[in-house]
Amino acid sequence: MRFLMTSVGTANSDETLQIEMGKFVEELTRAGMLIATGGMELGGSVITSVGGEITVTDGPFAEAKEMAGGFALIEVGSKEEALELSKRFFAIIGDGEGRIQQIYG
């Protein structure tokens, strides 16, 4: 099962955090669970379709602090396993918020 994990968190980035996150990423990569990971632009663009009319609104947006700033695409055996990995991730980075969504196909 594939899951997209996104996170919104504080921008704390010290050497200890980087070392611990590196170990975590390496562990998941070796286990074949991590497909891709990276940071994301906080603004981006919103595409809206209403009645056949397409509107594009470019960021940044007022609530950019609530937008996902990072992602990991993982392959695991169950949603419970994805949730456990997310808990481990937040144990490393500290306060924040995340979302896990199963990817189909």
Side-chain angles (χ1 to χ4, degrees):
M1 302 172 82
R2 288 187 176 186
F3 290 89
L4 180 64
M5 298 170 36
T6 55
S7 64
V8 177
T10 58
N12 300 345
S13 183
D14 61 17
E15 187 175 345
T16 302
L17 183 140
Q18 291 177 4
I19 291 168
E20 291 304 310
M21 187 55 67
K23 290 177 186 176
F24 184 57
V25 167
E26 187 175 322
E27 175 190 337
L28 297 184
T29 301
R30 276 198 211 136
M33 294 182 206
L34 186 62
I35 297 168
T37 185
M40 299 187 300
E41 171 188 22
L42 290 179
S45 300
V46 173
I47 297 92
T48 307
S49 175
V50 177
E53 185 175 331
I54 308 290
T55 304
V56 177
T57 307
D58 291 324
F61 303 100
E63 299 302 321
K65 66 182 180 185
E66 297 175 5
M67 295 183 71
F71 78 93
L73 181 59
I74 58 171
E75 186 155 359
V76 294
S78 66
K79 182 176 182 179
E80 290 74 22
E81 193 173 355
L83 289 168
E84 286 304 314
L85 291 177
S86 183
K87 289 176 185 178
R88 288 182 58 201
F89 171 80
F90 279 103
I92 294 169
I93 68 161
D95 293 346
E97 183 176 299
R99 177 177 289 191
I100 296 176
Q101 295 172 278
Q102 186 171 357
I103 304 295
Y104 301 107

